[in-house]
Amino acid sequence: MTLDNRPELAPHVYLQRDVLTGEPVLIFPEEMLALNEEAEAILSRCDGRTRVADIVTALAAEYEADAEELTLSVLQELGELHRRRLVTPDGPGRSPYRSALHAGQSRGQGGKYRPLVLLAELTYRCPLHCPYCSNPVRYPEGELSTEDWARVFREAAALGIFHLALSGGEPLLRPDLPRLTEAAADAGLYPNLITSGVGLDEHKARELRDAGLESVQLSFQSDEANLADQVAGTRAHEIKLRAARIIRETGLALSMNVVLHRANISRLDRMIALAESLGADRIELANVQYYGWGFINRSALLPTREQAAQAQEIALAEKQRLAGRMDIYYVLPDMYETQPKPCMQGWGRRYLTVNPAGEVLPCPTASGIPGMRFDNVRERALEWIWNESDSFNRFRGTEWMPAPCRECPRKEIDFGGCRCQAALLTGDAAATDPVCALSPDRAIVDEILAGVETAAPPSWTRRVNAGA
């Protein structure tokens, strides 16, 4: 970055203010970055027409600052954002703001628990039959209407939510997906599509882009067609490759997602190479989370300890190699850990899910917890559910925690671990996550790990209620 460059925010990156706190943030596919006043002042002038030298001059006059010192600060700030691919040195010229709505004044104050991301599960129908599907094994019938979802999106934006993930099942099976995308963008949300790619053609991609879609997370089961189709339970790999090309040609941001398990984890380096060849902006390599169908198939899906260790080494090495070109996110298989993950950054703290039937969940798999009731957006406003409902308040904070969590110095870091995993393995959602070495139920996890066999062939129970 030089003083003669005319910087602009990279495609799909926008400057906006938090509608609750008024604080500036940078929002981009699947992520956001809180900004200080100086960073906002710089980025608000990155319109692709103004030289860095002129940005410095304007800031020096506005803040009565030393121009020489300010030059160094501005170049460092822009250089770091350019390294992260959030700013381009020169652009064709556009406003750094997404719309007037995003530049507006705050409407209130953000509390200790305020959502940042809404996962909208539009349907449980799906053309694939993946053995690790996290959708419930049994679920309520019926789907929210277009009008119901549009209202939910408006209520989500008023709560201060930034990101919207349009998911499923397969969201492309909803014929009203373009209308839903437009409703989300009009509400001020940043729409991301999570899809298998089955059903995505050039016309649909352009229609979604024009409706306000910013990014697409495309799932892959492997880099190799035969294995990928075996895992998916249908011939879908070539369809996904074509979908990736369409996404890039349409100008949407492309993220690739691969669920790792015993059958494909040894091909991790080749899956990263596939993402690189497809021009993906990022790849998420997530080991199976053992809920739903993944829990049923855990003995055939869980990688060996050696596989997990090798995969982590490869992921870290590739992350270094591709730094500045493609982001790599590697999610560890937590059963091999001795400390639980801070699931969803804590129950009811930052995320919420609305399932196809309208139930509002603190996490996508919470409906599997026996005895818990979840309020429905058909009956209650999203704000009430987030702030007042028993389901969201049940495991917030630390007062609910049993020993040893209650006395643990990590209780504000991992929040006691995963409630769904605790419920599945112990029968008690309030128990310490059995992954924790201090859990009185750790022996359950150790017994599961002891049963992992290196050469065991995949034998999966398929999701039979996927629909099409």
Side-chain angles (χ1 to χ4, degrees):
M1 194 74 67
T2 72
L3 290 174
D4 287 327
N5 284 130
R6 301 173 188 269
E8 180 178 283
L9 297 189
H12 312 292
V13 181
Y14 302 96
L15 182 63
Q16 65 185 74
R17 282 186 174 274
D18 187 330
V19 297
L20 294 187
T21 67
E23 296 174 351
V25 297
L26 206 59
I27 186 165
F28 46 101
E30 303 185 55
E31 294 188 69
M32 53 180 287
L33 178 66
L35 302 174
N36 58 27
E37 182 181 351
E38 178 183 318
E40 181 193 20
I42 296 170
L43 293 177
S44 65
R45 292 169 168 84
C46 291
D47 55 10
R49 295 181 293 270
T50 307
R51 294 186 314 135
V52 174
D54 296 326
I55 292 175
V56 171
T57 299
L59 292 174
E62 181 176 345
Y63 293 99
E64 299 181 354
D66 179 81
E68 186 173 340
E69 291 183 5
L70 195 57
T71 297
L72 180 60
S73 177
V74 169
L75 287 174
Q76 286 178 336
E77 182 76 32
L78 291 175
E80 174 61 19
L81 292 172
H82 176 50
R83 186 190 65 79
R84 297 184 61 180
R85 296 180 295 119
L86 299 174
V87 169
T88 61
D90 295 283
R94 69 171 174 89
S95 169
Y97 292 99
R98 217 166 138 232
S99 70
L101 173 66
H102 294 90
Q105 297 300 311
S106 62
R107 295 197 291 261
Q109 293 296 318
K112 181 178 182 180
Y113 306 117
R114 56 82 50 94
L116 301 175
V117 179
L118 166 63
L119 175 65
E121 294 181 323
L122 303 180
T123 181
Y124 282 140
R125 293 171 290 148
C126 184
L128 306 188
H129 306 265
C130 303
Y132 47 74
C133 181
S134 61
N135 285 163
V137 176
R138 297 181 180 85
Y139 51 81
E141 297 295 328
E143 295 178 0
L144 293 178
S145 67
T146 308
E147 292 71 25
D148 286 333
W149 278 117
R151 174 177 53 80
V152 169
F153 297 157
R154 291 192 296 272
E155 292 180 2
L159 267 175
I161 286 174
F162 293 97
H163 275 286
L164 169 69
L166 297 162
S167 181
E170 176 47 67
L172 288 168
L173 289 171
R174 291 276 305 219
D176 59 350
L177 183 58
R179 291 174 59 195
L180 294 175
T181 303
E182 184 176 22
D186 286 347
L189 300 175
Y190 188 103
N192 306 269
L193 176 65
I194 301 176
T195 178
S196 68
V198 177
L200 186 68
D201 56 22
E202 290 87 349
H203 172 75
K204 179 67 71 174
R206 289 194 297 269
E207 190 178 19
L208 291 170
R209 178 201 63 194
D210 295 344
L213 186 67
E214 292 288 346
S215 71
V216 180
Q217 184 186 110
L218 182 63
S219 69
F220 277 83
Q221 280 66 38
S222 179
D223 65 294
E224 194 274 322
N226 289 336
L227 176 57
D229 292 343
Q230 180 188 5
V231 175
T234 188
R235 299 183 68 174
H237 187 68
E238 290 299 323
I239 295 172
K240 292 171 178 287
L241 293 175
R242 185 163 59 251
R245 174 182 57 78
I246 290 170
I247 292 164
R248 297 300 295 173
E249 291 177 352
T250 308
L252 294 164
L254 171 62
S255 174
M256 182 168 151
N257 173 278
V258 182
V259 176
L260 301 176
H261 46 83
R262 194 185 316 177
N264 69 0
I265 195 168
S266 63
R267 303 184 64 87
L268 186 143
D269 56 341
R270 281 161 283 192
M271 289 185 283
I272 293 174
L274 174 62
E276 190 178 3
S277 70
L278 293 174
D281 300 296
R282 54 180 276 160
I283 180 171
E284 182 177 313
L285 303 160
N287 277 271
V288 169
Q289 303 298 301
Y290 295 97
Y291 317 116
W293 294 93
F295 184 73
I296 292 174
N297 290 307
R298 64 189 183 279
S299 61
L301 291 169
L302 191 65
T304 66
R305 190 179 296 275
E306 182 181 5
Q307 283 180 316
Q310 289 176 348
Q312 185 173 4
E313 287 182 11
I314 292 170
L316 292 174
E318 290 292 88
K319 187 179 181 72
Q320 283 189 322
R321 181 179 72 85
L322 292 168
R325 287 187 284 158
M326 184 174 74
D327 296 325
I328 295 178
Y329 297 86
Y330 181 74
V331 181
L332 293 166
D334 67 335
M335 282 197 181
Y336 283 117
E337 298 296 300
T338 57
Q339 294 177 331
K341 62 180 182 292
C343 190
M344 307 300 290
Q345 295 186 24
W347 179 279
R349 290 175 63 90
R350 294 292 178 259
Y351 295 85
L352 59 81
T353 296
V354 178
N355 73 15
E359 294 173 331
V360 188
L361 313 171
C363 83
T365 58
S367 59
I369 298 177
M372 285 204 72
R373 177 187 174 277
F374 299 96
D375 291 277
N376 198 295
V377 293
R378 290 187 173 110
E379 301 162 357
R380 292 280 194 175
L382 204 60
E383 181 180 15
W384 185 93
I385 296 172
W386 176 262
N387 290 316
E388 307 296 336
S389 69
D390 174 69
S391 58
F392 273 82
N393 284 295
R394 179 78 63 88
F395 301 116
R396 277 177 172 157
T398 59
E399 292 183 3
W400 62 271
M401 290 182 175
C405 296
R406 191 183 303 115
E407 296 81 25
C408 182
R410 288 180 52 85
K411 65 182 179 182
E412 294 284 359
I413 299 173
D414 58 35
F415 307 107
C418 178
R419 300 301 90 222
C420 300
Q421 186 158 262
L424 278 170
L425 295 180
T426 73
D428 181 6
T432 299
D433 189 332
V435 162
C436 183
L438 300 177
S439 167
D441 300 303
R442 173 68 200 193
I444 297 174
V445 174
D446 292 335
E447 184 177 352
I448 292 172
L449 296 178
V452 176
E453 298 179 13
T454 303
S459 178
W460 301 319
T461 299
R462 294 288 184 181
R463 171 179 163 161
V464 296
N465 52 1

Coordinates of all heavy atoms in Angstrom, one line a residue, residues 1 7-10 13 26 43 46 77-78 81-90:
M1 N 0.9 -1.2 0.0 CA 0.0 0.0 0.0 C 0.9 1.2 0.0 O 1.8 1.4 0.8 CB -0.9 0.0 1.2 CG -2.1 1.0 1.1 SD -3.4 0.5 0.0 CE -4.1 -0.9 0.8
P7 N -7.5 3.2 -2.2 CA -8.0 1.9 -1.6 C -9.5 1.8 -1.6 O -10.2 2.9 -1.5 CB -7.4 1.9 -0.2 CG -7.2 3.4 0.1 CD -6.8 4.0 -1.2
E8 N -10.0 0.6 -1.6 CA -11.4 0.3 -1.5 C -11.6 -0.9 -0.7 O -10.7 -1.8 -0.7 CB -11.9 0.2 -2.9 CG -13.5 -0.1 -3.0 CD -13.9 -0.2 -4.4 OE1 -14.1 0.8 -5.1 OE2 -14.1 -1.3 -4.9
L9 N -12.7 -1.0 0.0 CA -13.0 -2.3 0.7 C -13.1 -3.4 -0.4 O -13.7 -3.2 -1.5 CB -14.3 -2.2 1.5 CG -14.3 -1.2 2.6 CD1 -15.5 -1.3 3.5 CD2 -13.0 -1.3 3.5
A10 N -12.6 -4.6 0.0 CA -12.7 -5.7 -1.0 C -14.1 -6.1 -1.2 O -15.1 -5.7 -0.5 CB -11.9 -6.9 -0.4
V13 N -17.2 -6.9 1.4 CA -16.7 -6.3 2.7 C -17.4 -4.9 2.8 O -17.3 -4.1 1.9 CB -15.2 -6.2 2.8 CG1 -14.8 -5.6 4.2 CG2 -14.6 -7.6 2.6
L26 N -16.6 -3.9 10.7 CA -16.4 -4.3 9.4 C -17.0 -5.7 9.2 O -16.7 -6.6 10.0 CB -14.9 -4.4 9.1 CG -14.4 -4.2 7.6 CD1 -14.9 -2.9 7.1 CD2 -12.9 -4.4 7.6
L43 N -11.4 3.9 7.0 CA -12.1 3.1 6.0 C -13.3 3.8 5.4 O -13.7 3.5 4.3 CB -12.6 1.8 6.8 CG -11.4 0.8 7.2 CD1 -12.0 -0.3 7.9 CD2 -10.7 0.4 5.9
C46 N -12.3 5.1 2.2 CA -11.8 4.1 1.2 C -12.9 3.8 0.2 O -13.6 2.8 0.3 CB -11.3 2.8 1.9 SG -9.8 3.0 2.9
E77 N -2.4 0.5 9.1 CA -3.7 0.0 9.2 C -4.2 -0.6 7.9 O -4.7 -1.7 7.8 CB -4.7 1.1 9.6 CG -6.1 0.7 9.8 CD -6.4 0.0 11.1 OE1 -5.7 0.3 12.1 OE2 -7.2 -0.9 11.1
L78 N -4.0 0.1 6.8 CA -4.4 -0.4 5.5 C -3.6 -1.6 5.0 O -4.2 -2.5 4.4 CB -4.3 0.8 4.4 CG -5.3 1.9 4.6 CD1 -5.1 3.0 3.6 CD2 -6.8 1.4 4.5
L81 N -5.0 -4.7 6.8 CA -6.3 -5.0 6.3 C -6.1 -5.6 4.8 O -6.9 -6.5 4.4 CB -7.3 -3.9 6.3 CG -7.7 -3.4 7.7 CD1 -8.5 -2.1 7.6 CD2 -8.6 -4.5 8.3
H82 N -5.2 -5.1 4.1 CA -4.9 -5.6 2.8 C -4.3 -7.1 2.9 O -4.7 -8.0 2.1 CB -3.9 -4.7 2.1 CG -3.4 -5.3 0.7 ND1 -4.3 -5.7 -0.2 CD2 -2.2 -5.4 0.2 CE1 -3.6 -6.1 -1.3 NE2 -2.3 -6.0 -1.0
R83 N -3.5 -7.3 3.9 CA -2.9 -8.6 4.2 C -4.0 -9.6 4.5 O -4.0 -10.8 4.0 CB -1.9 -8.6 5.3 CG -1.2 -9.9 5.6 CD -0.4 -9.9 6.9 NE -1.3 -9.8 8.0 CZ -2.0 -10.8 8.5 NH1 -1.9 -12.0 8.0 NH2 -2.7 -10.7 9.6
R84 N -5.1 -9.1 5.1 CA -6.2 -10.0 5.4 C -7.2 -10.0 4.3 O -8.3 -10.6 4.5 CB -6.9 -9.5 6.7 CG -6.0 -9.6 8.0 CD -6.7 -9.2 9.2 NE -7.8 -10.1 9.5 CZ -8.6 -10.0 10.5 NH1 -8.4 -9.0 11.4 NH2 -9.6 -10.9 10.7
R85 N -6.9 -9.4 3.2 CA -7.8 -9.4 2.0 C -9.1 -8.7 2.3 O -10.1 -9.0 1.7 CB -8.0 -10.8 1.5 CG -6.7 -11.5 1.0 CD -6.9 -12.9 0.5 NE -7.3 -13.8 1.5 CZ -8.4 -14.5 1.5 NH1 -9.3 -14.4 0.4 NH2 -8.8 -15.3 2.4
L86 N -9.1 -7.7 3.1 CA -10.3 -6.9 3.4 C -10.3 -5.6 2.7 O -11.4 -4.9 2.6 CB -10.5 -6.7 4.9 CG -10.6 -8.0 5.8 CD1 -10.6 -7.7 7.3 CD2 -11.9 -8.8 5.4
V87 N -9.2 -5.2 2.2 CA -9.0 -3.9 1.5 C -8.2 -4.2 0.2 O -7.2 -5.0 0.3 CB -8.3 -2.9 2.4 CG1 -7.9 -1.6 1.5 CG2 -9.2 -2.4 3.5
T88 N -8.6 -3.6 -0.9 CA -7.8 -3.7 -2.1 C -7.0 -2.3 -2.3 O -7.6 -1.3 -2.0 CB -8.6 -4.0 -3.3 OG1 -9.6 -2.9 -3.5 CG2 -9.4 -5.3 -3.1
P89 N -5.8 -2.4 -2.9 CA -5.1 -1.1 -3.1 C -5.8 -0.1 -3.9 O -5.7 1.1 -3.7 CB -3.7 -1.6 -3.7 CG -3.6 -3.0 -3.3 CD -5.0 -3.5 -3.3
D90 N -6.5 -0.6 -5.0 CA -7.2 0.3 -5.9 C -8.5 -0.4 -6.3 O -8.5 -1.6 -6.5 CB -6.4 0.6 -7.1 CG -5.1 1.3 -6.8 OD1 -5.2 2.6 -6.6 OD2 -4.0 0.7 -6.8

